[in-house]
Amino acid sequence: MADAVIVGAGTARADNPRLSVRGLPGNESRDPVRVVIDSKLSLDKNSNLFNKEMGGRTIVYCGEDATENPDLGDNVKIKKAPGTNSALDLTWILKDL
């Protein structure tokens, strides 16, 4: 029922979620876009969120001053959001989505 599911980097590290739809028959389910707020691009590239076999596409929002550009796969898009590595502009992120 949702187009996207948003999770922060801390929750992603602690829970390693899939953020996918499971348990619904056939074509009734579709995976939402997985959105990760990871200001420092610190998540492990082996996270379930980056595995396209475990869900839909993923958008990672990071700070403008994040320097790394990890290769997280062809289903992952990295977008820089206004703010710093400790406080991204969530209003801007929601409007961007």
Side-chain angles (χ1 to χ4, degrees):
M1 293 176 51
D3 292 324
V5 179
I6 301 174
V7 67
T11 299
R13 261 190 296 285
D15 298 342
N16 196 20
R18 294 181 187 183
L19 301 184
S20 62
V21 175
R22 295 178 296 284
L24 294 178
N27 293 331
E28 291 182 32
S29 67
R30 67 172 172 78
D31 287 319
V33 175
R34 303 179 289 186
V35 179
V36 184
I37 310 296
D38 184 8
S39 60
K40 298 178 185 175
L41 291 176
S42 61
L43 290 176
D44 185 328
K45 67 178 182 176
N46 295 313
S47 168
N48 288 338
L49 293 169
F50 306 136
N51 184 335
K52 70 178 169 182
E53 304 299 319
M54 292 187 181
R57 65 188 178 101
T58 303
I59 301 171
V60 179
Y61 285 96
C62 65
E64 293 175 328
D65 49 355
T67 56
E68 293 184 40
N69 192 9
D71 179 13
L72 300 174
D74 60 354
N75 65 312
V76 180
K77 183 172 188 169
I78 298 172
K79 292 183 128 185
K80 295 205 177 212
T84 66
N85 275 347
S86 61
L88 298 183
D89 184 342
L90 296 179
T91 301
W92 183 91
I93 291 171
L94 291 175
K95 285 180 183 177
D96 186 60
L97 288 169

